[in-house]
């Protein structure tokens, strides 16, 4: 910093204010400082800053459970947004079924003096287990309440997303629907199943639920025979990967999307638009989710009270449903 100050012709305090944004600096002075930083290749020492100020600029991200498409996209969006805000991100993963793994991952993040923690989870029970050990402001991205937790929670409105799909299927004339979601305690699967069952009951639609082993394409293909035996007019897959596997497995049994049934997914993955026919799905805006998480991280790190944020989902209609008309 002294070298930068000498080259720019300013004090070390001015360099500090320029780089930290902690005080006013004239525009021309800022330009000279940044030019000196560039010329010298100066890189601020994060550890030294933390020791000097007692304030951490590091955010921890703990991912529990499988690294699904949604979790990976969420993490990438959070990491980029926090970096743009001048924060540093450290991450750890943990097996949601292994309490030792959960605690080890949390302690690893806490050991680097994080100012706040984001948990990207699929299991409310895993987050509930960690709750007593959370000694820093925490934000949880989870589509289900967590008993005993005193932290902010950010979620995407699963019920609204499923509602829009069910209503869209009804518009295509579908009166027999099948939902395919993984078995177990994954919060996304259970949230979508609860919404599906309640909406079908409200609308007087015949429905069944078929459970798969997981979220993958192969899991969808594996239950295609069971789904086909129900003779559904509309199939709602719990995510786009399941939908892709179902379409493949049902095609092997002579059933074609758009001709014999309508098919939808969830997540609006990149490949869905290039399936034949293109897949109707529900988009969860990961950029908006990351923004909401970052806002909460800043707020709770500054002493704000925890709060609950619900973000909208958006139906993306394509030919896998519009090409079908029941009856």
């Amino acid at each position: 910093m002294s070298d930068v100050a000498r080259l720019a012709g300013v004090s070390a305090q001015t360099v500090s204010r320029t780089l930290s944004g902690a005080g006013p600096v004239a525009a021309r002075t800022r330009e000279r400082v940044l030019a000196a930083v560039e010329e010298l290749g100066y890189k601020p020492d994060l550890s030294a800053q933390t020791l000097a100020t007692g304030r951490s600029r590091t955010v921890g991200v703990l991912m529990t459970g499988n690294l699904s498409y949604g979790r990976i996209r969420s993490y990438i969006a959070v990491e980029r947004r926090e970096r743009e805000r001048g924060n540093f991100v450290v991450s750890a993963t943990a097996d949601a079924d292994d309490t030792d793994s959960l605690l080890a991952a949390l302690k690893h993040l806490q050991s680097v003096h994080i100012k706040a923690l984001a948990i990207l989870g699929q299991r409310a029970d895993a987050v509930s287990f960690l709750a007593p050990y959370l000694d820093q402001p925490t934000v949880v991205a989870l589509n289900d309440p967590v008993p005993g937790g005193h932290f902010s929670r950010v979620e995407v409105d699963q019920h609204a997303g499923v509602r829009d799909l069910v209503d869209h299927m009804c518009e295509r004339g579908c009166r027999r629907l099948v939902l395919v979601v993984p078995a177990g305690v994954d919060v996304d699967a259970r949230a979508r199943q609860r919404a599906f069952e309640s909406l079908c009951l409200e609308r007087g639609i015949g429905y069944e639920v078929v459970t798969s082993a997981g979220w993958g394409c192969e899991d969808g293909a594996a239950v295609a025979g069971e789904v086909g035996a129900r003779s559904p007019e509309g199939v709602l897959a719990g995510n786009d990967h399941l939908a892709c596997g179902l379409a493949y497995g049902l095609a092997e049994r002579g059933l074609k999307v758009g001709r014999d049934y309508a098919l939808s997914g969830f997540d609006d993955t990149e490949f869905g638009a290039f399936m034949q026919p293109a897949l109707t799905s529900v988009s969860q805006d990961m950029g908006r989710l990351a923004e909401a998480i970052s806002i909460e991280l800043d707020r709770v790190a500054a002493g704000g009270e925890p709060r609950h944020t619900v973000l909208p989902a958006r139906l993306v209609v394509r030919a896998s449903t519009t090409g079908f008309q029941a009856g």
Side-chain angles (χ1 to χ4, degrees), residues 49-63:
Q49 288 179 2
T50 300
L51 287 171
T53 65
R55 296 190 302 272
S56 173
R57 291 171 57 195
T58 303
V59 170
V61 179
L62 173 58
M63 290 171 283

Side-chain angles (χ1 to χ4, degrees), residues 108-128:
H108 171 73
L109 295 173
Q110 291 173 333
S111 70
V112 295
H113 191 57
I114 55 176
K115 71 172 185 177
L117 173 68
I119 301 178
L120 310 182
Q122 293 170 301
R123 298 262 301 270
D125 58 342
V127 180
S128 185

Side-chain angles (χ1 to χ4, degrees), residues 69-152:
Y69 175 85
R71 298 297 176 279
I72 293 170
R73 288 283 305 277
S74 298
Y75 172 76
I76 291 172
V78 169
E79 191 278 332
R80 287 179 179 172
R81 181 166 175 81
E82 288 300 317
R83 180 156 37 91
E84 290 169 359
R85 295 163 69 87
N87 291 324
F88 298 81
V89 176
V90 292
S91 63
T93 61
D95 182 347
D97 290 312
D98 185 342
T99 55
D100 289 338
S101 173
L102 289 167
L103 281 178
L106 178 61
K107 289 179 180 178
H108 171 73
L109 295 173
Q110 291 173 333
S111 70
V112 295
H113 191 57
I114 55 176
K115 71 172 185 177
L117 173 68
I119 301 178
L120 310 182
Q122 293 170 301
R123 298 262 301 270
D125 58 342
V127 180
S128 185
F129 168 77
L130 289 172
Y133 303 96
L134 299 174
D135 57 10
Q136 63 287 307
T138 300
V139 178
V140 176
L142 191 72
N143 297 321
D144 218 15
V146 181
H150 188 67
F151 35 69
S152 285

